[in-house]
Amino acid sequence: MIIIAFAPKSSKILPNIFCKNFKHCAIIVRDKQDFILYQFSGHNRVTKIIIRTRDIRILGAHGWRFIYMPREIKSGFNPNRAWTCVGMVKSAIGMRRPLIQTPDRLYKKLCD
């Protein structure tokens, strides 16, 4: 199962200018008892953070939204190849939509 997380805040300048509702997105993957959150920081800079169910509830209380997808990460997924957080999420789920470049558009497309 993949959980796609959307955050309303970002420390980066460009997402704060171009994105309206969601400024950042991340991937959460189940790993035995815990979850692993793939946090995109930049090209070739992806941090894996181990979180628990409680942490997901805390993120939700701070405005994060989650989309649960009943599929596995696409085989051959390399998060370090992505140039943006949206590109990382799209490559993880196997989406090939070149016009989706912001977390807002990705959220809207996945909710449709």
Side-chain angles (χ1 to χ4, degrees):
M1 174 174 69
I2 299 174
I3 303 171
I4 302 173
F6 294 90
K9 298 179 183 174
S10 177
S11 62
K12 307 287 184 187
I13 295 170
L14 291 177
N16 287 324
I17 294 171
F18 293 112
C19 303
K20 291 182 182 178
N21 297 325
F22 299 113
K23 314 285 193 234
H24 185 68
C25 56
I27 302 168
I28 302 173
V29 180
R30 183 86 169 158
D31 181 44
K32 297 179 185 173
Q33 297 176 0
D34 300 325
F35 294 94
I36 296 177
L37 182 130
Y38 288 90
Q39 180 71 33
F40 182 84
S41 302
H43 183 62
N44 284 335
R45 291 191 317 250
V46 175
T47 307
K48 294 180 182 179
I49 303 170
I50 297 173
I51 61 174
R52 293 198 161 86
T53 308
R54 175 183 171 270
D55 301 323
I56 294 175
R57 275 188 261 130
I58 291 170
L59 290 173
H62 287 282
W64 287 53
R65 299 287 169 100
F66 303 99
I67 295 178
Y68 298 88
M69 301 187 83
R71 63 172 89 161
E72 298 297 322
I73 284 185
K74 190 170 169 109
S75 63
F77 168 67
N78 184 0
N80 291 323
R81 282 194 223 158
W83 286 91
T84 64
C85 61
V86 176
M88 181 182 70
V89 171
K90 287 185 348 183
S91 68
I93 63 174
M95 180 184 282
R96 294 179 184 238
R97 303 268 177 154
L99 296 178
I100 296 176
Q101 293 295 320
T102 62
D104 287 331
R105 299 253 336 231
L106 181 64
Y107 183 80
K108 184 178 177 182
K109 179 65 181 170
L110 292 176
C111 287
D112 286 346

